Amino acid sequence: MDEAKDTGEEPGQGGAPPLPFRAAVDALLGARLRPQIEVEPTSAPKRLAPFAYALEAAVVDGDQDLADGRLVLLHDPAGHDAWRGTFRLVTLVRAELEPEMAADPLLPDVCWSWLTGALAARGLTYGEPSGTVTRASSHYFGGLSERPSASQIEIRASWTPREQLGGVPDTASHLAAWCDLLAQVAGLPPAGPGDASVVTLPQRRGPQSR
């Protein structure tokens, strides 16, 4: 199982990170995930909030990346009207699709339900969810005409994790739910008996660059 490392934190404009933010990051560092999901810290955005921490992840099967994504934890000690809280989680998830699956008109709704379902399955409460689900197709011509057409799904979303005692959200569980979403998008089998009814995408045809 992979464990996040403490190198993705940006001190932002607020000086030393406050205790609730440090505790939220520490919880991320202690999260233990499925062995197929490789997680590592990455540079966090500096302008979205006074404090930020970022992780990137890939669902790996041998030498193939079945899906990849980024999760950013934002913190504004003064609160944020749009967030209705002091913390915010922002994510990007991407995966390649079979063309037939990409053509399904219900795919965007299903993908969004995977996010909300992953949070609900772990009993997490949150507010102000927002996001987009985008599918794109690439067709190759000329010198690239031998490449098969490719389709990709992209989920961009953000939500406000509810704060617990001490004003700290359960970021470890939110990270685990996010990894559940990555696994579903990648077409991995459910992790446990409780996920047996989850619909997953078929396996991807080839490797995807990170």
Side-chain angles (χ1 to χ4, degrees), residues 11-26:
Q13 303 172 356
L19 181 59
F21 179 71
R22 297 201 305 268
V25 171
D26 286 344

Side-chain angles (χ1 to χ4, degrees), residues 8-49:
E9 184 176 326
E10 290 289 346
Q13 303 172 356
L19 181 59
F21 179 71
R22 297 201 305 268
V25 171
D26 286 344
L28 289 175
L29 304 183
R32 303 192 68 83
L33 313 172
R34 292 177 61 155
Q36 302 95 332
I37 300 179
E38 297 182 351
V39 178
E40 61 184 13
T42 188
S43 298
K46 298 180 179 180
R47 299 180 180 179
L48 298 180

Side-chain angles (χ1 to χ4, degrees), residues 101-200:
M101 179 64 72
D104 187 341
L106 297 179
L107 182 63
D109 300 274
V110 170
C111 288
W112 184 256
S113 73
W114 287 343
L115 170 60
T116 57
L119 294 169
R122 292 187 177 269
L124 294 168
T125 56
Y126 60 95
E128 309 306 314
S130 63
T132 61
V133 177
T134 305
R135 51 187 165 185
S137 297
S138 298
H139 303 271
Y140 300 96
F141 301 93
L144 301 176
S145 60
E146 293 184 359
R147 293 188 183 183
S149 299
S151 299
Q152 186 181 72
I153 193 74
E154 180 180 275
I155 304 170
R156 292 179 180 269
S158 63
W159 64 95
T160 299
R162 291 304 182 208
E163 297 166 15
Q164 300 179 315
L165 186 65
V168 182
D170 184 1
T171 50
S173 294
H174 281 271
L175 174 59
W178 180 69
C179 287
D180 292 341
L181 169 66
L182 271 173
Q184 285 179 265
V185 172
L188 295 185
D195 298 326
S197 63
V198 170
V199 178
T200 58

